[in-house]
């Protein structure tokens, strides 16, 4: 099995966000909202960190 | 205030919270199945087992006990959180004893995090069963 770094990030974020959503909230709507929030933070954080590293190097 | 389903669950068995915790640890999502939350159970099962098997597929490392290294012990505790999946991995010799390629480090993290997420879901099932978290 071979994954690109970004697809690994997407899969990690997806599965982790699903578990966070279910375990950290009580209502289904709040679960979906919190899961989406976690997913956006995971992926957004990686993109921001990647650009930071790019600008540090250049 | 306890809901009707909570009261019904409490009436079923006083050992339900412990059973939900143990079942949830051994099989991802089984604790939620015991407290009659099949959709959550299915989502947890798919998420945690997928993460674990992706980690195996990426040639991640399966940690073993008693290596003497503190970080190895912590990672072993994380791996152990996956319950039966960890036992299967040891019995069937899945994963690698050491990280061989760069992407395998991601695989190792996937396996450890799958175990930690499984512990979270087992504790959540326990909280649902004892009424600390509303059903």
């Amino acid at each position: 099995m071979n994954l690109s770094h970004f697809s690994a990030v997407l899969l990690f974020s997806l599965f982790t966000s699903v578990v966070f959503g279910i375990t950290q909230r009580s209502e289904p709507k709040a679960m979906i909202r919190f899961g989406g929030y976690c997913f956006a933070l995971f992926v957004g954080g990686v993109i921001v960190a990647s650009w930071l590293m790019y600008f540090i190097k250049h | 205030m306890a809901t009707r389903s909570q009261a019904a669950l409490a009436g079923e068995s006083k050992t339900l919270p412990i059973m939900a915790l143990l079942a949830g640890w051994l099989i991802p999502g089984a604790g939620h199945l015991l407290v009659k939350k099949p959709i959550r159970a299915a989502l947890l099962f798919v998420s945690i087992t997928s993460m674990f098997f992706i980690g195996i597929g990426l040639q991640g490392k399966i940690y073993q006990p008693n290596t003497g290294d503190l970080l190895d012990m912590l990672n072993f505790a994380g791996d152990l959180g996956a319950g039966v999946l960890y036992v299967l991995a040891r019995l069937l010799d899945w994963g690698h004893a050491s990280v061989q390629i760069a992407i395998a480090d991601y695989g190792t993290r996937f396996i450890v995090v799958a175990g930690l997420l499984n512990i979270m879901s087992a504790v959540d099932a326990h909280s649902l069963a004892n009424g600390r978290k509303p059903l």
Side-chain angles (χ1 to χ4, degrees):
Chain A
M1 184 181 210
N2 207 356
L3 289 175
S4 70
H5 290 217
F6 191 65
S7 53
V9 165
L10 288 180
L11 286 172
F12 183 94
S13 308
L14 175 70
F15 296 134
T16 309
S17 303
V18 168
V19 178
F20 280 3
I22 290 173
T23 57
Q24 303 303 308
R25 293 291 182 271
S26 305
E27 300 297 321
K29 272 187 184 173
M31 287 177 186
I32 294 168
R33 209 176 309 129
F34 188 67
Y37 175 71
C38 288
F39 183 80
L41 276 187
F42 272 128
V43 178
V46 166
I47 291 170
V48 168
S50 309
W51 277 109
L52 273 177
M53 286 188 279
Y54 173 83
F55 285 122
I56 288 169
K57 192 181 177 194
H58 295 89
Chain B
M1 180 189 284
T3 62
R4 181 184 290 179
S5 51
Q6 275 177 309
L9 276 175
E12 273 178 20
S13 169
K14 293 201 173 187
T15 57
L16 184 65
I18 297 296
M19 281 172 59
L21 183 69
L22 281 176
W25 169 58
L26 288 173
I27 302 166
H32 285 76
L33 207 56
L34 276 182
V35 292
K36 299 184 175 86
K37 292 287 178 189
I39 296 172
R40 294 184 202 181
L43 285 169
L44 289 170
F45 181 80
V46 168
S47 299
I48 292 167
T49 49
S50 299
M51 254 188 116
F52 189 86
F53 283 113
I54 288 170
I56 297 287
L58 292 175
Q59 302 178 33
K61 177 179 175 179
I62 294 285
Y63 286 90
Q64 302 192 356
N66 302 324
T67 58
D69 185 333
L70 180 63
L71 285 178
D72 278 1
M73 283 188 254
L74 288 172
N75 282 309
F76 166 70
D79 277 6
L80 200 59
V84 165
L85 292 175
Y86 176 76
V87 176
L88 273 179
R90 288 293 302 277
L91 287 178
L92 303 176
D93 206 20
W94 291 340
H96 283 245
S98 62
V99 170
Q100 308 279 336
I101 53 172
I103 196 88
D105 202 32
Y106 288 179
T108 306
R109 296 308 138 224
F110 267 70
I111 294 168
V112 173
V113 172
L116 296 174
L117 291 175
N118 193 39
I119 292 172
M120 280 178 68
S121 70
V123 170
D124 186 58
H126 180 261
S127 300
L128 284 168
N130 68 13
R132 193 180 301 155
K133 184 179 179 184
L135 282 168

